[in-house]
Amino acid sequence: MASSGEEPRSGSPGRAGTGTEPAPMADAAQLDTAEDFEVLEEEEEEEEEDLSELPPLEDVGRPPAPPREDTQPSEPSGRGDADEDPQEWLDVLGSGLLKKKTLVPGQGVDTRPRKGQDVTIRLKATLEDGSVVEENSALTFTLGDCDVLQALDLCVQLLEMGETALIVSDAKYCYGAQGRSPDVPPNAALTLEVELLAARDAPDLELLSGKEKVELANRKRERGNFFYQQADYVLAINSYDIALKVIGSSSKVDFSPDEEAELLDVKVKCLNNLAASQLKLDHYEAALKSCNLVLEHQPGNIKALFRKGKVLAQQGEYREAIPILKAALKLEPSNKTIHAELSKLVKKHADQKNVETEMYRKMLGNPSATGTPGKCKDKLPWSIPWKWLFGATAIALGGVALSVVIAARN
Protein backbone atom coordinates (compact mmCIF):
# COMPACT_ATOMS: atom_id res chain seq x y z
CA MET A 1 0.00 0.00 0.00
CA ALA A 2 1.31 3.42 -0.87
CA SER A 3 1.91 5.56 2.12
CA SER A 4 -0.66 8.36 2.39
CA GLY A 5 2.11 10.86 2.93
CA GLU A 6 4.10 9.72 -0.09
CA GLU A 7 4.12 11.70 -3.28
CA PRO A 8 5.16 10.56 -6.74
CA ARG A 9 8.80 11.21 -7.45
CA SER A 10 9.59 13.70 -10.16
CA GLY A 11 12.99 12.36 -10.97
CA SER A 12 11.80 9.03 -12.35
CA PRO A 13 10.45 8.72 -15.88
CA GLY A 14 7.40 6.79 -14.71
CA ARG A 15 4.70 5.62 -17.09
CA ALA A 16 3.86 7.76 -20.04
CA GLY A 17 0.32 6.55 -19.89
CA THR A 18 -0.29 7.46 -16.29
CA GLY A 19 1.44 10.75 -15.88
CA THR A 20 1.29 10.36 -12.11
CA GLU A 21 4.80 11.69 -11.64
CA PRO A 22 4.76 15.45 -11.05
CA ALA A 23 7.21 17.73 -12.74
CA PRO A 24 10.32 18.62 -10.74
CA MET A 25 9.88 21.45 -8.28
CA ALA A 26 11.42 24.71 -9.48
CA ASP A 27 14.12 26.62 -7.69
CA ALA A 28 12.94 29.70 -5.85
CA ALA A 29 14.53 31.93 -8.47
CA GLN A 30 12.43 30.32 -11.19
CA LEU A 31 9.13 30.83 -9.43
CA ASP A 32 6.60 33.42 -10.43
CA THR A 33 7.24 36.23 -7.97
CA ALA A 34 3.85 37.74 -8.65
CA GLU A 35 2.34 35.41 -6.08
CA ASP A 36 3.45 34.09 -2.74
CA PHE A 37 5.27 30.77 -2.80
CA GLU A 38 3.32 28.87 -0.20
CA VAL A 39 5.96 26.63 1.32
CA LEU A 40 5.78 26.01 5.02
CA GLU A 41 9.10 26.34 6.74
CA GLU A 42 9.55 22.69 7.58
CA GLU A 43 9.03 21.70 3.95
CA GLU A 44 12.04 23.66 2.74
CA GLU A 45 14.39 21.14 4.32
CA GLU A 46 12.86 18.15 2.57
CA GLU A 47 14.10 16.61 -0.64
CA GLU A 48 13.35 18.78 -3.61
CA GLU A 49 11.20 16.22 -5.39
CA ASP A 50 9.17 15.32 -2.29
CA LEU A 51 5.94 17.30 -2.18
CA SER A 52 5.65 16.46 1.54
CA GLU A 53 2.53 16.01 3.55
CA LEU A 54 0.50 18.86 2.18
CA PRO A 55 0.83 19.07 -1.61
CA PRO A 56 0.31 20.78 -3.87
CA LEU A 57 1.28 24.26 -2.76
CA GLU A 58 -0.02 27.37 -4.49
CA ASP A 59 2.95 27.94 -6.77
CA VAL A 60 4.85 24.68 -6.68
CA GLY A 61 4.48 24.11 -10.43
CA ARG A 62 7.15 25.33 -12.78
CA PRO A 63 6.43 28.28 -15.07
CA PRO A 64 5.45 27.15 -18.57
CA ALA A 65 8.51 26.15 -20.50
CA PRO A 66 9.12 27.99 -23.77
CA PRO A 67 8.74 25.93 -26.94
CA ARG A 68 11.92 24.21 -28.03
CA GLU A 69 13.32 25.41 -31.32
CA ASP A 70 13.43 21.90 -32.68
CA THR A 71 9.87 21.11 -31.67
CA GLN A 72 6.73 21.80 -33.67
CA PRO A 73 3.89 21.61 -31.13
CA SER A 74 1.10 22.05 -33.63
CA GLU A 75 2.18 19.13 -35.81
CA PRO A 76 1.54 15.78 -34.10
CA SER A 77 3.73 12.83 -34.90
CA GLY A 78 2.56 10.94 -37.93
CA ARG A 79 0.64 13.95 -39.24
CA GLY A 80 2.19 13.49 -42.67
CA ASP A 81 0.83 9.96 -42.88
CA ALA A 82 -2.60 11.26 -41.88
CA ASP A 83 -2.51 13.79 -44.71
CA GLU A 84 -1.49 11.12 -47.24
CA ASP A 85 -4.45 8.83 -46.52
CA PRO A 86 -7.16 10.91 -44.81
CA GLN A 87 -9.81 8.23 -45.46
CA GLU A 88 -8.15 5.89 -42.98
CA TRP A 89 -7.75 8.45 -40.19
CA LEU A 90 -10.46 9.50 -37.75
CA ASP A 91 -10.20 13.12 -36.64
CA VAL A 92 -11.37 12.51 -33.09
CA LEU A 93 -12.03 16.11 -32.08
CA GLY A 94 -12.42 17.71 -35.49
CA SER A 95 -9.42 19.96 -34.90
CA GLY A 96 -6.70 17.84 -36.50
CA LEU A 97 -4.84 17.67 -33.19
CA LEU A 98 -5.91 14.13 -32.25
CA LYS A 99 -6.27 11.37 -34.85
CA LYS A 100 -6.79 7.61 -34.75
CA LYS A 101 -6.09 4.99 -37.38
CA THR A 102 -6.95 1.29 -37.13
CA LEU A 103 -4.01 -1.06 -37.77
CA VAL A 104 -5.65 -4.35 -36.75
CA PRO A 105 -9.48 -4.55 -36.74
CA GLY A 106 -11.29 -5.49 -33.55
CA GLN A 107 -14.31 -7.61 -32.71
CA GLY A 108 -17.05 -5.08 -33.50
CA VAL A 109 -18.43 -1.82 -32.13
CA ASP A 110 -20.45 -3.70 -29.50
CA THR A 111 -17.18 -4.62 -27.79
CA ARG A 112 -16.07 -1.03 -27.23
CA PRO A 113 -15.44 -0.21 -23.54
CA ARG A 114 -17.67 2.17 -21.57
CA LYS A 115 -16.70 5.06 -19.36
CA GLY A 116 -16.25 3.94 -15.79
CA GLN A 117 -14.89 0.53 -16.77
CA ASP A 118 -11.37 -0.60 -15.97
CA VAL A 119 -9.55 -1.19 -19.25
CA THR A 120 -6.21 -2.85 -19.96
CA ILE A 121 -4.19 -1.87 -22.98
CA ARG A 122 -0.81 -2.54 -24.56
CA LEU A 123 0.93 0.78 -25.11
CA LYS A 124 3.96 2.00 -27.02
CA ALA A 125 4.63 5.75 -27.11
CA THR A 126 7.20 7.44 -29.35
CA LEU A 127 8.36 10.96 -30.11
CA GLU A 128 8.46 12.46 -33.59
CA ASP A 129 12.07 11.34 -34.01
CA GLY A 130 11.10 7.74 -33.27
CA SER A 131 12.47 7.67 -29.71
CA VAL A 132 10.45 5.28 -27.55
CA VAL A 133 9.44 6.95 -24.29
CA GLU A 134 7.02 4.31 -23.02
CA GLU A 135 6.33 0.61 -23.43
CA ASN A 136 3.75 -1.10 -21.26
CA SER A 137 2.37 -4.54 -22.02
CA ALA A 138 -0.59 -4.24 -19.62
CA LEU A 139 -1.54 -0.71 -18.55
CA THR A 140 -4.80 -0.68 -16.57
CA PHE A 141 -6.84 2.44 -15.79
CA THR A 142 -10.42 3.61 -15.29
CA LEU A 143 -11.79 4.96 -18.55
CA GLY A 144 -13.08 8.52 -18.26
CA ASP A 145 -11.44 9.31 -14.91
CA CYS A 146 -8.51 11.21 -16.46
CA ASP A 147 -6.10 8.71 -14.90
CA VAL A 148 -3.94 8.75 -18.04
CA LEU A 149 -3.01 11.03 -20.92
CA GLN A 150 -6.08 12.74 -22.37
CA ALA A 151 -5.19 11.29 -25.77
CA LEU A 152 -5.68 7.81 -24.35
CA ASP A 153 -8.79 8.66 -22.36
CA LEU A 154 -10.43 10.11 -25.46
CA CYS A 155 -9.39 7.43 -27.95
CA VAL A 156 -9.49 4.12 -26.07
CA GLN A 157 -13.27 4.38 -25.77
CA LEU A 158 -13.33 4.25 -29.60
CA LEU A 159 -11.36 0.99 -29.77
CA GLU A 160 -12.98 -2.39 -30.29
CA MET A 161 -11.83 -5.37 -28.28
CA GLY A 162 -8.63 -6.74 -29.80
CA GLU A 163 -8.18 -3.71 -32.03
CA THR A 164 -4.72 -2.21 -32.50
CA ALA A 165 -4.69 1.46 -33.42
CA LEU A 166 -2.23 4.25 -34.05
CA ILE A 167 -2.97 7.54 -32.33
CA VAL A 168 -1.17 10.78 -33.22
CA SER A 169 -1.64 13.51 -30.67
CA ASP A 170 -0.66 17.11 -30.21
CA ALA A 171 1.22 17.93 -27.00
CA LYS A 172 -1.97 19.52 -25.66
CA TYR A 173 -3.42 16.06 -25.04
CA CYS A 174 -0.16 14.56 -23.78
CA TYR A 175 2.36 16.33 -21.54
CA GLY A 176 1.74 19.87 -22.70
CA ALA A 177 4.12 22.80 -22.40
CA GLN A 178 6.01 21.29 -19.46
CA GLY A 179 6.75 17.88 -20.92
CA ARG A 180 7.93 15.08 -18.66
CA SER A 181 11.45 15.06 -17.37
CA PRO A 182 13.74 13.60 -18.52
CA ASP A 183 12.47 11.89 -21.65
CA VAL A 184 9.53 13.95 -23.00
CA PRO A 185 10.52 17.51 -23.99
CA PRO A 186 8.14 20.48 -23.69
CA ASN A 187 5.42 20.76 -26.33
CA ALA A 188 6.20 17.26 -27.64
CA ALA A 189 3.67 15.51 -29.85
CA LEU A 190 3.40 11.73 -29.37
CA THR A 191 2.53 8.72 -31.48
CA LEU A 192 0.74 6.05 -29.44
CA GLU A 193 0.34 2.48 -30.60
CA VAL A 194 -2.47 0.97 -28.54
CA GLU A 195 -4.10 -2.47 -28.37
CA LEU A 196 -7.25 -2.99 -26.30
CA LEU A 197 -6.76 -6.18 -24.29
CA ALA A 198 -9.60 -6.19 -21.74
CA ALA A 199 -12.49 -4.18 -20.31
CA ARG A 200 -14.39 -4.97 -17.14
CA ASP A 201 -16.63 -3.18 -14.71
CA ALA A 202 -14.79 -1.28 -11.98
CA PRO A 203 -14.81 -2.92 -8.54
CA ASP A 204 -17.69 -2.20 -6.19
CA LEU A 205 -16.51 0.51 -3.80
CA GLU A 206 -18.65 -0.98 -1.03
CA LEU A 207 -16.63 -4.20 -1.15
CA LEU A 208 -13.15 -2.66 -1.11
CA SER A 209 -11.00 -3.28 1.92
CA GLY A 210 -9.59 -0.33 3.82
CA LYS A 211 -6.19 -0.87 2.22
CA GLU A 212 -7.68 -1.00 -1.30
CA LYS A 213 -9.72 2.14 -0.67
CA VAL A 214 -6.68 4.06 0.55
CA GLU A 215 -4.63 2.96 -2.46
CA LEU A 216 -7.37 3.90 -4.94
CA ALA A 217 -8.01 7.30 -3.34
CA ASN A 218 -4.29 8.04 -3.25
CA ARG A 219 -3.93 7.24 -6.96
CA LYS A 220 -6.71 9.68 -7.81
CA ARG A 221 -5.22 12.31 -5.50
CA GLU A 222 -1.75 11.94 -7.04
CA ARG A 223 -3.28 12.34 -10.47
CA GLY A 224 -4.85 15.55 -9.23
CA ASN A 225 -1.43 16.72 -8.07
CA PHE A 226 -0.07 16.05 -11.55
CA PHE A 227 -2.79 18.18 -13.15
CA TYR A 228 -2.25 20.92 -10.57
CA GLN A 229 1.41 21.16 -11.48
CA GLN A 230 0.44 21.28 -15.15
CA ALA A 231 -1.75 24.29 -14.19
CA ASP A 232 -4.83 22.34 -15.36
CA TYR A 233 -6.92 23.15 -12.30
CA VAL A 234 -10.22 21.92 -13.75
CA LEU A 235 -8.87 18.39 -14.23
CA ALA A 236 -7.14 18.61 -10.84
CA ILE A 237 -10.50 19.35 -9.22
CA ASN A 238 -12.02 16.41 -11.11
CA SER A 239 -9.39 14.00 -9.75
CA TYR A 240 -9.70 15.28 -6.18
CA ASP A 241 -13.49 14.97 -6.38
CA ILE A 242 -13.19 11.36 -7.54
CA ALA A 243 -10.81 10.59 -4.67
CA LEU A 244 -13.25 12.14 -2.17
CA LYS A 245 -16.11 10.08 -3.61
CA VAL A 246 -14.04 6.93 -3.12
CA ILE A 247 -13.32 7.87 0.49
CA GLY A 248 -16.90 8.90 1.22
CA SER A 249 -18.56 5.85 -0.34
CA SER A 250 -20.42 3.50 1.96
CA SER A 251 -18.78 0.20 2.82
CA LYS A 252 -19.85 -3.31 3.71
CA VAL A 253 -16.39 -4.06 5.05
CA ASP A 254 -15.14 -3.22 8.52
CA PHE A 255 -12.00 -1.07 8.64
CA SER A 256 -9.35 -1.10 11.32
CA PRO A 257 -8.67 2.11 13.32
CA ASP A 258 -5.41 2.53 11.39
CA GLU A 259 -7.24 2.25 8.06
CA GLU A 260 -9.83 4.77 9.21
CA ALA A 261 -7.03 7.16 10.18
CA GLU A 262 -5.36 6.71 6.78
CA LEU A 263 -8.60 7.42 4.95
CA LEU A 264 -9.12 10.58 6.99
CA ASP A 265 -5.55 11.64 6.23
CA VAL A 266 -6.12 11.24 2.47
CA LYS A 267 -9.45 13.06 2.73
CA VAL A 268 -7.85 16.07 4.43
CA LYS A 269 -5.11 16.21 1.79
CA CYS A 270 -7.66 16.04 -1.03
CA LEU A 271 -9.77 18.82 0.50
CA ASN A 272 -6.72 21.04 1.01
CA ASN A 273 -5.59 20.47 -2.58
CA LEU A 274 -9.14 20.98 -3.81
CA ALA A 275 -9.25 24.35 -2.04
CA ALA A 276 -5.94 25.33 -3.65
CA SER A 277 -7.28 24.49 -7.12
CA GLN A 278 -10.57 26.28 -6.51
CA LEU A 279 -8.69 29.34 -5.30
CA LYS A 280 -6.66 29.35 -8.53
CA LEU A 281 -9.92 29.47 -10.51
CA ASP A 282 -11.41 32.22 -8.27
CA HIS A 283 -14.11 29.82 -7.07
CA TYR A 284 -14.09 31.47 -3.66
CA GLU A 285 -17.27 30.02 -2.15
CA ALA A 286 -16.27 26.47 -3.14
CA ALA A 287 -12.74 27.00 -1.77
CA LEU A 288 -14.16 28.35 1.49
CA LYS A 289 -16.36 25.27 1.82
CA SER A 290 -13.37 22.95 1.23
CA CYS A 291 -11.31 24.78 3.86
CA ASN A 292 -14.14 24.58 6.38
CA LEU A 293 -14.46 20.83 5.81
CA VAL A 294 -10.77 20.42 6.61
CA LEU A 295 -11.11 22.52 9.75
CA GLU A 296 -14.04 20.41 10.91
CA HIS A 297 -11.65 17.47 11.11
CA GLN A 298 -8.49 19.37 12.01
CA PRO A 299 -9.16 22.83 13.52
CA GLY A 300 -5.42 23.49 13.68
CA ASN A 301 -4.64 22.64 10.06
CA ILE A 302 -2.33 25.47 9.03
CA LYS A 303 -2.88 25.11 5.30
CA ALA A 304 -6.66 25.23 5.66
CA LEU A 305 -6.42 28.27 7.95
CA PHE A 306 -4.04 30.01 5.58
CA ARG A 307 -6.17 29.34 2.48
CA LYS A 308 -9.36 30.31 4.28
CA GLY A 309 -7.73 33.60 5.19
CA LYS A 310 -6.69 34.11 1.56
CA VAL A 311 -10.20 33.34 0.31
CA LEU A 312 -11.76 35.85 2.70
CA ALA A 313 -9.13 38.41 1.76
CA GLN A 314 -9.91 37.92 -1.94
CA GLN A 315 -13.54 38.63 -1.09
CA GLY A 316 -12.55 41.82 0.70
CA GLU A 317 -13.45 40.40 4.12
CA TYR A 318 -10.29 41.66 5.82
CA ARG A 319 -11.90 41.91 9.26
CA GLU A 320 -12.65 38.16 9.16
CA ALA A 321 -9.45 37.11 7.40
CA ILE A 322 -7.01 38.76 9.82
CA PRO A 323 -7.92 36.75 12.98
CA ILE A 324 -7.82 33.50 10.97
CA LEU A 325 -4.30 34.24 9.75
CA LYS A 326 -3.33 35.26 13.29
CA ALA A 327 -4.53 31.84 14.49
CA ALA A 328 -2.39 30.15 11.84
CA LEU A 329 0.60 32.27 12.81
CA LYS A 330 0.13 31.40 16.47
CA LEU A 331 0.40 27.71 15.54
CA GLU A 332 3.58 28.36 13.57
CA PRO A 333 5.16 31.69 14.56
CA SER A 334 8.21 31.23 12.31
CA ASN A 335 6.20 30.90 9.09
CA LYS A 336 7.34 33.75 6.84
CA THR A 337 4.56 33.18 4.31
CA ILE A 338 1.83 33.74 6.90
CA HIS A 339 3.72 36.75 8.29
CA ALA A 340 3.83 38.33 4.84
CA GLU A 341 0.17 37.65 4.06
CA LEU A 342 -0.95 38.94 7.45
CA SER A 343 1.06 42.16 7.13
CA LYS A 344 -0.40 42.72 3.68
CA LEU A 345 -3.96 42.25 4.95
CA VAL A 346 -3.51 44.54 7.95
CA LYS A 347 -2.35 47.31 5.62
CA LYS A 348 -5.22 46.69 3.21
CA HIS A 349 -7.70 46.73 6.09
CA ALA A 350 -6.32 50.05 7.36
CA ASP A 351 -6.51 51.55 3.88
CA GLN A 352 -10.06 50.28 3.51
CA LYS A 353 -11.12 51.93 6.78
CA ASN A 354 -9.53 55.24 5.76
CA VAL A 355 -11.35 55.20 2.43
CA GLU A 356 -14.68 54.42 4.11
CA THR A 357 -14.20 57.19 6.68
CA GLU A 358 -13.44 59.74 4.00
CA MET A 359 -16.43 58.58 1.97
CA TYR A 360 -18.78 59.04 4.96
CA ARG A 361 -17.37 62.52 5.62
CA LYS A 362 -18.11 63.57 2.06
CA MET A 363 -21.58 61.99 2.03
CA LEU A 364 -22.64 63.59 5.31
CA GLY A 365 -21.04 66.95 4.72
CA ASN A 366 -18.63 66.71 7.67
CA PRO A 367 -15.74 69.14 7.95
CA SER A 368 -12.44 67.90 6.62
CA ALA A 369 -10.07 66.12 8.96
CA THR A 370 -7.87 69.22 9.24
CA GLY A 371 -10.76 71.34 10.52
CA THR A 372 -12.08 68.83 13.04
CA PRO A 373 -11.10 69.27 16.72
CA GLY A 374 -8.73 66.58 17.88
CA LYS A 375 -11.10 65.19 20.48
CA CYS A 376 -13.75 64.57 17.80
CA LYS A 377 -11.58 62.94 15.17
CA ASP A 378 -12.17 59.40 16.37
CA LYS A 379 -15.95 59.74 16.64
CA LEU A 380 -18.12 57.96 14.14
CA PRO A 381 -18.82 60.31 11.24
CA TRP A 382 -22.56 59.79 11.41
CA SER A 383 -23.07 60.44 15.16
CA ILE A 384 -23.44 64.27 15.02
CA PRO A 385 -25.64 64.41 11.89
CA TRP A 386 -28.13 62.02 13.52
CA LYS A 387 -28.36 64.27 16.59
CA TRP A 388 -28.95 67.24 14.36
CA LEU A 389 -31.65 65.32 12.54
CA PHE A 390 -33.49 64.37 15.74
CA GLY A 391 -33.24 67.94 17.05
CA ALA A 392 -34.57 69.43 13.84
CA THR A 393 -37.43 66.94 13.82
CA ALA A 394 -38.39 67.81 17.41
CA ILE A 395 -38.37 71.55 16.68
CA ALA A 396 -40.49 71.02 13.59
CA LEU A 397 -43.04 68.90 15.46
CA GLY A 398 -43.19 71.45 18.28
CA GLY A 399 -43.88 74.22 15.81
CA VAL A 400 -46.71 72.25 14.22
CA ALA A 401 -48.28 71.56 17.62
CA LEU A 402 -48.12 75.25 18.61
CA SER A 403 -49.75 76.26 15.32
CA VAL A 404 -52.61 73.82 15.94
CA VAL A 405 -53.22 75.23 19.45
CA ILE A 406 -53.27 78.84 18.21
CA ALA A 407 -55.66 77.92 15.40
CA ALA A 408 -57.99 76.19 17.84
CA ARG A 409 -58.13 79.26 20.13
CA ASN A 410 -58.95 81.52 17.24
Side-chain angles (χ1 to χ4, degrees), residues 34 49-50 69 73 77 135 150 162 184 206 212 217 243 260 288 291 297 357 364 378:
E49 68 270 19
D50 186 357
E69 294 181 0
S77 174
E135 281 191 283
Q150 283 184 278
V184 180
E206 291 187 339
E212 291 170 332
E260 292 281 6
L288 191 60
C291 291
H297 297 292
T357 301
L364 300 172
D378 295 333

Side-chain angles (χ1 to χ4, degrees), residues 143-162:
L143 190 59
D145 274 12
C146 299
D147 291 343
V148 291
L149 299 178
Q150 283 184 278
L152 288 174
D153 228 5
L154 291 168
C155 292
V156 168
Q157 57 188 300
L158 303 176
L159 297 182
E160 301 171 4
M161 191 60 60

Side-chain angles (χ1 to χ4, degrees), residues 90-127:
L90 172 65
D91 190 348
V92 177
L93 300 176
S95 62
L97 300 180
L98 183 63
K99 295 188 176 184
K100 167 189 171 290
K101 176 182 179 181
T102 298
L103 300 180
V104 178
Q107 300 171 14
V109 294
D110 292 341
T111 64
R112 289 179 176 175
R114 303 184 307 275
K115 287 185 178 181
Q117 286 189 312
D118 284 347
V119 297
T120 301
I121 63 172
R122 176 183 62 79
L123 172 67
K124 180 180 179 181
T126 58
L127 298 173

